[in-house]
Amino acid sequence: MAGADGDDSLYPIAVLIDELRNEDVQLRLNSIKKLSTIALALGVERTRTELLPFLTDTIYDEDEVLLALAEQLGSFTTLVGGPEFVHCLLPPLESLATVEETVVRDKAVESLRKISHEHSPVDLEAHFVPLVKRLASGDWFTSRTSACGLFSVCYPRVSSTVKAEIRQHFRNLCSDDTPMVRRAAASKLGEFAKVLELEYVKNDIIPLFTNLASDEQDSVRLLAVEACVSIAQLLPEEDLEALVMPTLRQATEDKSWRVRYMVADKFSELQKAVGPEITKNDLVPAFQNLLKDCEAEVRAAGAHKVKEFCENLPADGREAIIMNHILPYVKELVSDSNQHVKSALASVIMGLSTILGKDNTIEHLLPLFLAQLKDECPEVRLNIISNLDCVNEVIGIRQLSQSLLPAIVELAEDTKWRVRLAIIEYMPLLAGQLGVEFFDEKLNSLCMAWLVDHVYAIREAATNNLMKLVEKFGAEWAQNTIVPKVLAMANDPNYLHRMTTLFCVNALSEACGKEITTKLMLPIVLKMAVDQVANVRFNVAKSLQRIGPVLDSNTVQSDVKPVLQKLGQDEDMDVKYFAQEAMTGMFLYELVVYLLNGTFFFIFLLLF
């Protein structure tokens, strides 16, 4: 009997071993994901003495299996007996931190960082720090890159002697022969600096930062720029000029556009870190250089930061700095040759109006907005229209209508139909920004004019535009403002315009609801069933099928079906076909509704 119990206790690990040796990767992956269940079955002691050694020694698997294992081990502390035994998890994670696949190493480092907090200071020095040293001095670059992410989590909780050793190891990695290791060290430089004492930041980190920022590899130098933000936040303002700014100035003029791009991308954070005085003296000229950089990617990154940079300028001289030192460069970007630069600027430029105030906006910014509103790139125009509310708050709706709206109207009547189409697509957004009253006064007539455009794509887009406007402003607005004008087109001598009425009814019926559709729209559609043009008549059949679900069954039976039956006997083959299609479609719809209602009734009877 005892033997049988022993066999039962070995069963979980035996199953695990079998599954982990299975040829099917998915089966192996599923097995790893069940590790916590297996560990619970084995108990804490056998997990430590059997499961973890097995995992350390025998797993050389597909990357996705190793990734799952690295993730699982990060939450294994309770399964090995709590913080007292957490060091037992270090051997398998150490192995995983040296594998070739980056995502597996990163996940192993993440799990090691997680369990480091569960080590006592004694265990940290006895078990965790030796692991970090082994990784930092490993033969393969993979282990050394993993070590870079572990210094900051153990440094604050060890003795001063061990701290000195950790700093030395980090220095060695920052000057490693392999670029991948220097890159990993540069990416963790700022994080490591945050846990160091200030004297070591000045004496150790600053020289490392300077060297990494001058590295031969641009992939290392750009990561040093990222570390610059963290380092600048740690130093007193009086030390920044001497210790950080020379390197930062060098980065803004780096020969690699990727480094300059990183400076532009981190510019607002750098601005906050160095303070107002250095911003005025050093960062304003640097920002000017980024805005006129020879690479479009750098100019685009700088353009994205224009509003944020201006907002963070010292309040006492903000307006003067913007007007004299930033705006001239912004004006150049408005007519930049690269559309991504113009689009980036258009997404933020409207925000300058709240910073500069009404008078400066009217005099200096409105001409720029107008130029961008007429830009050939649709994304530029969209970004301007999307942010009109910023300008509206500053200069008021009347001033806005006198300046920007004429440009919008001009575009809406442009001879190129694609330009008109672009403006139609922005109209619901513009309507939401300006409000219903202003829209009715200034833009409603435009929307109705598009319905009779000579290009079909415009008429179709205008129909969809009406539907979106009704969704935004409501059915009551539609009943008073839109529906009468749409239905009046049913008497238009041009059959294309009469067909547009039907297309509008199709689009508006659901948004307007049953009452408006039944009382106002349906009678006009039924009247058009005797139109002289066959195309109109068969579109009546299609419209009746489309609005049928909105109507009640009595109306369908008494008003709709007789008309469809008549159209089904029309002399035109297309009219007959679509009328029969409509009748079949409505029959199927009624059948589905009937069956669903019957099903619900049956369930109701069963329940009650």
Side-chain angles (χ1 to χ4, degrees), residues 222-238:
L222 67 87
L223 289 168
V225 171
E226 205 166 336
C228 181
V229 177
S230 301
I231 295 168
Q233 289 169 341
L234 299 170
L235 293 171
E237 200 165 320
E238 59 269 18

Side-chain angles (χ1 to χ4, degrees), residues 73-74 77 83-95 97 105-137 143 146-159 162 165-166 169 191-192:
L73 291 175
T77 305
E84 186 182 348
F85 298 100
V86 73
H87 60 84
C88 297
L89 295 171
L90 298 180
L93 284 170
E94 182 177 356
S95 298
R105 293 201 309 272
D106 289 347
K107 185 58 72 174
V109 169
E110 187 184 316
S111 292
L112 281 167
R113 288 167 67 94
K114 189 176 176 183
I115 65 171
S116 70
H117 302 299
E118 293 166 344
H119 284 72
S120 66
V122 175
D123 284 342
L124 202 66
E125 288 197 22
H127 301 287
F128 196 87
V129 171
L131 173 146
V132 176
K133 291 177 181 175
R134 285 194 299 275
L135 289 173
S137 53
S143 68
S146 294
C148 294
L150 298 173
F151 291 109
S152 62
V153 292
C154 59
Y155 185 88
R157 298 170 58 212
V158 295
S159 63
V162 178
E165 292 176 16
I166 289 173
H169 276 291
E191 182 185 289
F192 188 49

Side-chain angles (χ1 to χ4, degrees), residues 233-254:
Q233 289 169 341
L234 299 170
L235 293 171
E237 200 165 320
E238 59 269 18
D239 291 328
L240 287 171
E241 182 59 48
L243 300 178
V244 174
M245 288 314 298
T247 309
L248 184 56
R249 288 190 202 102
Q250 176 187 314
T252 60
E253 298 170 0
D254 195 278

Side-chain angles (χ1 to χ4, degrees), residues 234 267 365 477:
L234 299 170
F267 213 83
L365 294 181
W477 172 81

Side-chain angles (χ1 to χ4, degrees), residues 208-222:
L208 295 177
F209 165 62
T210 306
N211 290 336
L212 290 169
S214 307
D215 195 274
E216 61 183 20
Q217 297 281 331
D218 63 356
S219 60
V220 177
R221 298 200 301 275
L222 67 87

Side-chain angles (χ1 to χ4, degrees), residues 169-190:
H169 276 291
F170 192 79
R171 277 197 296 273
N172 294 341
L173 293 177
C174 286
S175 55
D176 195 276
D177 293 336
T178 312
M180 284 81 84
V181 178
R182 297 201 302 277
R183 192 158 61 230
S187 70
K188 298 297 178 183
L189 184 66

